[in-house]
Amino acid sequence: MKTLVGSMDGKGPAEALYAVAELQKEVGRAEATLVRSARQAGLSWEAIALCLGVSKQAVHRKYGKR
């Protein structure tokens, strides 16, 4: 994140926002992949939620149907 922000020096706010949006998409893809791997490894929804700092219901609602 610091590298991304540092690389935006001298660029306009629209370019910086575009970069942040792309970063959010990448983080979302990584999270989904890791949640899937955690479930395949036998982790409970509760354990995954604890790692992500959210409720068990929130993580199950977001990833349970996939």
Side-chain angles (χ1 to χ4, degrees):
M1 182 67 176
K2 287 182 182 182
T3 302
L4 173 67
V5 172
S7 72
M8 296 312 298
D9 288 345
K11 302 211 174 164
E15 293 172 77
L17 288 169
Y18 176 77
V20 169
E22 289 301 310
L23 181 60
Q24 287 174 330
K25 290 176 194 174
E26 183 62 30
V27 168
R29 287 189 291 268
E31 181 178 284
T33 299
L34 291 169
V35 167
R36 190 170 34 256
S37 294
R39 288 295 294 162
Q40 290 173 348
L43 269 72
S44 67
W45 289 115
E46 186 174 8
I48 295 167
L50 181 63
C51 293
L52 294 174
V54 298
S55 71
K56 178 177 82 170
Q57 292 81 4
V59 77
H60 188 264
R61 189 176 324 119
K62 187 171 182 179
Y63 296 108
K65 305 279 189 221
R66 295 181 180 194

